[in-house]
Amino acid sequence: WKKFIVPIILLTHFSFVAQYMFVSDNPSPITIIPFLAMSCHVFLFIGTLCGDIGTFIFIPFTMKISITYQKFKLNFVPICAIILTVWSYVNTVLPPQHSTVHVPISGLDPKFEKMHIMHLSDIHVGPTTGKVFVDWLVNEVNTHNPDMVFITGDLVDSSVKNLKNAVWNLKNLKSKYGTFYVTGWYILYTL
């Protein structure tokens, strides 16, 4: 596993550089691979931590850590990290799910009862999603003819200067009463 984990750690450290120096309108392997490595690194850490906590919980009962358990943990954690990283990336590149939620509000003026609001949250345009995704998203929202569109959370994962063209099509969102944006905390370091 050392031949696997060492490149993961090195690529994880490159993700910060990739995020600011190589991000453009659409993702490329030079930005995607370091972020996949970072995801795997996080899952390796969480898996190792959980395994160690499990070890400390069971030590008082067994008074020893079996070699079989150590080998199991040594193989299980990296395999789970790889599976979770692949699952996470697949969910990143698949179209987001659209769900309808009816929100009953007592005393609401009846003319607003059938209001259709689209809420887009945490788009994270940058190393893993780009202009192609934003263009698709705008077309998808516009097909639903919403009364209002709310964009909340982190819009970009890199310098706004690098991603201006990638998010530019958001201006084409169509809604009866307007599109509103509330920033996430990432915006603080992307300006």
Side-chain angles (χ1 to χ4, degrees):
W1 285 111
K2 285 180 186 176
K3 290 179 183 178
F4 167 74
I5 292 174
V6 170
I8 292 294
I9 292 169
L10 293 174
L11 282 168
T12 296
H13 292 291
F14 182 69
S15 67
F16 185 78
V17 173
Q19 182 176 9
Y20 286 98
M21 293 185 69
F22 299 107
V23 167
S24 61
D25 290 352
N26 285 302
S28 70
I30 202 163
T31 60
I32 294 171
I33 292 170
F35 275 84
L36 291 175
M38 183 171 56
S39 174
C40 194
H41 192 186
V42 168
F43 288 130
L44 283 167
F45 173 75
I46 292 169
T48 302
L49 184 64
C50 290
D52 289 348
I53 289 171
T55 300
F56 288 118
I57 289 172
F58 293 112
I59 284 177
F61 300 110
T62 61
M63 299 307 288
K64 66 178 184 174
I65 302 171
S66 73
I67 300 289
T68 305
Y69 174 74
Q70 290 297 342
K71 286 182 180 178
F72 170 77
K73 187 172 76 169
L74 190 64
N75 290 310
F76 183 74
V77 169
I79 289 169
C80 284
I82 292 167
I83 291 169
L84 289 170
T85 299
V86 169
W87 177 76
S88 299
Y89 184 66
V90 167
N91 279 307
T92 299
V93 296
L94 288 177
Q97 296 179 359
H98 175 257
S99 51
T100 302
V101 178
H102 298 282
V103 182
I105 301 173
S106 64
L108 182 68
D109 188 327
K111 69 180 178 182
F112 295 115
E113 284 185 14
K114 298 292 182 185
M115 183 166 270
H116 184 199
I117 298 171
M118 295 289 289
H119 178 211
L120 311 174
S121 181
D122 293 293
I123 298 171
H124 288 273
V125 175
T128 57
T129 57
K131 185 178 182 341
V132 170
F133 175 75
V134 171
D135 293 347
W136 175 88
L137 192 62
V138 168
N139 289 332
E140 183 68 19
V141 168
N142 289 344
T143 62
H144 291 281
N145 297 315
D147 293 312
M148 283 193 271
V149 176
F150 291 103
I151 303 171
T152 62
D154 302 319
L155 180 59
V156 295
D157 277 344
S158 183
S159 166
V160 173
K161 179 181 72 173
N162 293 347
L163 297 170
K164 179 180 176 184
N165 292 332
V167 297
W168 191 252
N169 197 25
L170 288 174
K171 70 180 175 42
N172 293 319
L173 285 169
K174 293 177 177 48
S175 60
K176 188 174 181 179
Y177 299 111
T179 299
F180 305 90
Y181 176 53
V182 178
T183 65
W185 72 275
Y186 276 30
I187 297 302
L188 297 174
Y189 76 86
T190 59
L191 298 174

